[in-house]
Structures are given as C-alpha cells and as structure tokens.
Amino acid sequence: MVRKMGVYVVLAFVLYGLFFYWYIFYFSESKLPFEYAGTKADPTTFLNGRELMLSEEYSKIRNLLFFLSTPFEWLFYFLILLFGFSKAFKRWAEKSTKYRLLQIAIYLIWLSFFAFLATFPLNYISYSLSKTYHISTQTFASWMKDELIDFWINYGTWLIIVPVLYWLMKKSQKRWWLYGWLLSVPFTLFMMFLQPVVIDPLYNDFYPLKNKELETKILTLADKAEIPAKHVFEVNMADKTNALNAYVTGIGSNARIVLWDTTLNKLSDNQILFIMAHEMCHYVEKHIYFGIGGYLLLSLLGLYLTYRLMNWVVVRWGKELRIADVSDIRSLPLFFIVLSMLLFASSPLTNLASRYEETRADRYAIEMTKNPEAAITSFQELTRSGLSQVNPPLLVKIFRYTHPSMLDRISKLEEYEIKHQNKE
C-alpha cells in the first residue's frame, strides 16, 4: 500500500508537470489580440526582435518553474511522511535531549535542512536562468548568502510558531486552529512592523534617497496626496538585478516607500514620479491594511480547513503515513502540505484582489501626474528590463500575477492619453 501511494503521487506530479509544459509551451497563446496591434501596448513597438524572443523564452521557462516548485514541495513532504523520515527525525530529536522544546527545535532543523536540500536544485535553476538572460547580476556567493538568510529566518519563524501550535493541539484538539489564529494576529502585525527595519536590511542596504532634487519632487507629490512623508528610501539592487521595482512596506511609523537604485538609474524623473504616485495610492487608500485584514480572514478559514483535513487524513491514512495523532510532531510535514495547498488554491482570489488595488493605483497615479507619456514609457521600460510577457497566458495570469498584465496597464493609459488629447 505504501509503495503504491508513493508511485501514484509521483505519477500525479509527473502528469501535472507534463500538462503545464504542454500548456505553456504549446497550447497557450501570448500573441496580442489584433485590436492592440500597433498600439503602445504592442511589444513590437518598443522591443526589438531579440528582446521579443528572449522575453518569450524567459517567461515560459519561469512560468513552468513556478508551477512545478510548489507541488514539488508537497511531493517532498509527502515522501518524508511515507518513507518514515518524519518518524526518524523525531527519534533523533528524542535521543538528543529530554527537553520537549529542544526536541522540537532539533526535529525542525532536520526537516528544514532536508527541505532546503530538496528544493535547492529548482532554486538554483531559477537563479541560473535569470543570470543566463541577464536579469540577475548577482554572484553565486551573494545569492547563496540570501538563500541561507531565507533558511534561518524561516527556521526562526517556525521555531516560534510550531511549539505553540503543537502545544495548542495537545491542549484543545477541537479548538487549536481558533486559538492559533488568535495568537497569529498580533504576531503577523509585529512581523510586518519589523519587516522594513530588521528583516529587509539583512538582504540589502537602505538609505534616504541621494538625489535631493528628486526627493523634493517626490515629497511635494506626497504633500499633495496629504501623506506625512519625510524620506524616500532607495536600496542598492544593481549588484543583484537589472530589473526595476518600487514598493510600499511596513505598517504604522515603520511604513516606507522604497525605490530600487536600478529604477533610479534607468528611469527619468517624470517616470519615477508616476511610479511614486502609484505607490502613494497604496498608502492613501490603505491597501496595506486591507491586505492584512484579508490575509487574517483567509488565515482563519485556512487554519480551520487545515484542522479538518489533517484529522481526515490521519484517520484514513495515519498508519501508512506513520502519524499516530495530529498533535504528534511527526504530522508537521502534513501540516505544511495542507497549508501550502490551501495557499496555492486561494492565490487566484488573492491575486484578483491585488490586481484590483494595482489598477486603482495606476488610475490614481495618472490622475495625479497627468503625464501619460511618462507613465506608458515607464511600463515599457519595466517590461524590457524584466523580460516580461505583455500578454501572459490565462492560467499564468490567474495564479502568478499580483499586478495587471502590461497589456491591460499600458492600454488603459493610452486610452487616458487619447481621451485627454481629444479634450484639448
């Protein structure tokens, strides 16, 4: 039975991978609808032939890696359970110390280490791909440093969560999901407060914008939007990537607007002002707080479904998976599988909400700056620097895109430009 389960799950993963390979490389069409041909959203008007070819190649491989990576983690954790590695990790932990908290820490380091090894090849392929297509400028040593920082941050976070979670499971088999969620609320807010000042600086150096003339323009724009901003931060990303980005991070007094130095190096002041106005909308319309609220509601539902599904799996296949009880630490890989599956399943909904907010931010920015040419050319440069698909396949857009496609964004800006030209 155990061998059959392993064969069936591996076969399912292979068939899943073949489906997405066929869908991305052969079935899906990324060509523009004919009505957009020759418009400013048409990549042939701002990308040369080589850039068009590279963007198609790069996007297809990246999309395939995306659809393979998360289910590969499910497969890994499932095999960890099926072949008794989870049981072995627990046994090694119990032999090492008699203290329960240390046992959990040791179990978790074994599980995290094997997960790191299992997912390393796909992560390296992704890094190597971005180097090959000149998106990444990062050395292997720098990339490896970031990977290890990720590892220890994830390990430290789970070292806080897992002991509390499994203590709650033992104390309340029917309500642990609710108590766990209640504790997650302040923890989530605390982590978001720390993100800009503790976690982000582990990866890069942040400092106030060096270009004071540009900073004055941005702060004038912020004052127009009634945002009490005193600084705009830039971050050194040129040593890692050629891509462009800007974002809002943190909450409360730690909230920041951040510009990558690559954005500063490649875009004009007017283009940057449009991007800054876009980011300011997220602050003005409190998108960060709506995002937190939505995340907490989904996490409540997610933890409840995790509780129900874990109980169902343990009752039905507990013997085969070597899990005697949900509250046994050996069930942790099952917890990760169920939680990850629910996150993946909910991504179309969360991405849809995010795309709606990003559309509003684009509209806000163009109304504030009233410079459609700068807005359109900034998106064209973002497309070029990241070798992005202007019109991604439907499933890619649904599962991957937190922002509208460049086709949607540029075409709306061009409509605005034409509309206001006619009024003049």
Side-chain angles (χ1 to χ4, degrees):
M1 180 63 180
V2 170
R3 185 177 296 178
K4 280 185 178 180
M5 287 179 72
V7 170
Y8 290 152
V9 169
V10 171
L11 182 61
F13 177 75
V14 170
L15 291 174
Y16 165 90
L18 288 173
F19 167 77
F20 273 102
Y21 177 80
W22 167 78
Y23 175 78
I24 291 168
F25 284 87
Y26 296 102
F27 178 77
S28 61
E29 260 309 335
S30 58
K31 290 182 181 179
L32 289 182
F34 73 92
E35 62 266 28
Y36 294 100
T39 67
K40 292 181 180 180
D42 184 348
T44 61
T45 64
F46 60 90
L47 297 179
N48 61 40
R50 183 173 180 274
E51 289 169 337
L52 285 168
M53 179 191 69
L54 291 177
S55 67
E56 279 299 304
E57 288 180 357
Y58 178 65
S59 296
K60 284 180 177 179
I61 301 171
R62 256 181 88 212
N63 292 335
L64 181 61
L65 286 173
F66 166 81
F67 281 108
L68 290 179
S69 58
T70 302
F72 179 78
E73 290 181 17
W74 307 341
L75 175 64
F76 163 76
Y77 285 123
F78 180 79
L79 295 179
I80 284 285
L81 288 170
L82 197 64
F83 292 109
F85 286 102
S86 185
K87 184 179 179 180
F89 297 158
K90 183 184 179 183
R91 186 171 65 249
W92 298 343
E94 289 174 341
K95 285 182 178 179
S96 301
T97 180
K98 63 180 180 180
Y99 298 106
R100 179 170 169 76
L101 189 59
L102 289 177
Q103 288 174 359
I104 292 176
I106 294 169
Y107 173 92
L108 197 56
I109 197 71
W110 278 113
L111 183 62
S112 300
F113 175 69
F114 275 85
F116 179 83
L117 289 181
T119 56
F120 184 83
L122 278 177
N123 292 336
Y124 178 75
I125 289 170
S126 181
Y127 160 72
S128 181
L129 178 72
S130 62
K131 285 280 285 187
T132 301
Y133 285 86
H134 303 291
I135 304 298
S136 174
T137 58
Q138 195 172 16
T139 64
F140 176 78
S142 173
W143 175 77
M144 197 67 215
K145 176 188 171 186
D146 285 352
E147 289 291 297
L148 292 173
I149 290 172
D150 282 346
F151 174 87
W152 288 112
I153 288 175
N154 289 334
Y155 176 74
T157 303
W158 284 115
L159 192 55
I160 295 169
I161 295 171
V162 171
V164 174
L165 192 65
Y166 275 80
W167 179 80
L168 290 172
M169 286 178 179
K170 286 188 178 296
K171 293 294 180 181
S172 178
Q173 293 184 357
K174 293 184 177 181
R175 295 285 183 270
W176 63 263
W177 59 273
L178 177 60
Y179 302 140
W181 178 80
L182 290 171
L183 289 174
S184 76
V185 175
F187 181 75
T188 299
L189 296 175
F190 178 68
M191 290 299 290
M192 291 200 69
F193 188 80
L194 286 185
Q195 182 82 30
V197 293
V198 176
I199 297 174
D200 289 347
L202 294 173
Y203 296 90
N204 301 100
D205 296 325
F206 291 76
Y207 32 80
L209 188 61
K210 294 175 186 175
N211 186 336
K212 295 304 174 186
E213 183 181 346
L214 177 59
E215 184 179 49
T216 299
K217 292 179 182 177
I218 293 171
L219 293 177
T220 300
L221 203 63
D223 185 61
K224 184 180 175 182
E226 298 181 355
I227 297 174
K230 294 182 180 179
H231 296 290
V232 178
F233 289 84
E234 65 176 283
V235 55
N236 62 322
M237 291 297 295
D239 291 339
K240 294 185 176 182
T241 183
N242 286 317
L244 314 182
N245 197 16
Y247 60 91
V248 178
T249 186
I251 58 173
S253 60
N254 279 0
R256 291 180 173 184
I257 295 176
V258 179
L259 270 167
W260 287 8
D261 59 351
T262 51
T263 306
L264 293 165
N265 296 337
K266 293 184 180 180
L267 298 187
S268 68
D269 283 7
N270 285 336
Q271 290 171 327
I272 290 170
L273 287 175
F274 169 78
I275 290 172
M276 286 291 92
H278 172 102
E279 299 304 330
M280 287 173 190
C281 177
H282 293 310
Y283 180 94
V284 170
E285 297 195 356
K286 297 180 171 52
H287 290 167
I288 293 173
Y289 297 99
F290 283 119
I292 293 171
Y295 165 78
L296 291 175
L297 285 175
L298 280 176
S299 66
L300 175 61
L301 176 62
L303 279 172
Y304 172 72
L305 291 175
T306 301
Y307 150 74
R308 296 299 299 265
L309 288 169
M310 284 183 73
N311 281 333
W312 177 71
V313 170
V314 170
V315 168
R316 186 159 185 178
W317 292 296
K319 185 179 179 181
E320 289 82 0
L321 299 178
R322 295 171 171 83
I323 305 172
D325 189 82
V326 169
S327 62
D328 189 323
I329 191 64
R330 287 180 292 177
S331 72
L332 185 59
L334 176 61
F335 175 81
F336 286 156
I337 291 170
V338 174
L339 200 62
S340 179
M341 283 182 166
L342 291 174
L343 284 171
F344 188 77
S346 66
S347 60
L349 177 62
T350 56
N351 288 345
L352 181 65
S354 177
R355 289 195 298 270
Y356 170 75
E357 291 180 344
E358 297 297 336
T359 299
R360 287 191 62 85
D362 284 350
R363 189 181 305 126
Y364 179 94
I366 194 61
E367 291 291 348
M368 175 172 275
T369 60
K370 300 190 184 304
N371 190 339
E373 183 62 26
I376 289 168
T377 53
S378 68
F379 283 154
Q380 290 174 339
E381 186 57 41
L382 280 167
T383 302
R384 179 182 293 106
S385 64
L387 292 180
S388 306
Q389 281 180 308
V390 170
N391 186 35
L394 180 62
L395 288 180
V396 172
K397 183 176 179 180
I398 289 172
F399 281 94
R400 283 205 67 189
Y401 275 51
T402 57
H403 290 62
S405 69
M406 284 302 179
L407 174 63
D408 294 333
R409 303 179 87 174
I410 295 175
S411 59
K412 281 184 171 61
L413 290 170
E414 192 170 15
E415 286 173 11
Y416 175 92
E417 183 179 41
I418 292 169
K419 180 180 177 182
H420 284 265
Q421 279 177 349
N422 293 337
K423 285 184 177 180
E424 292 174 0

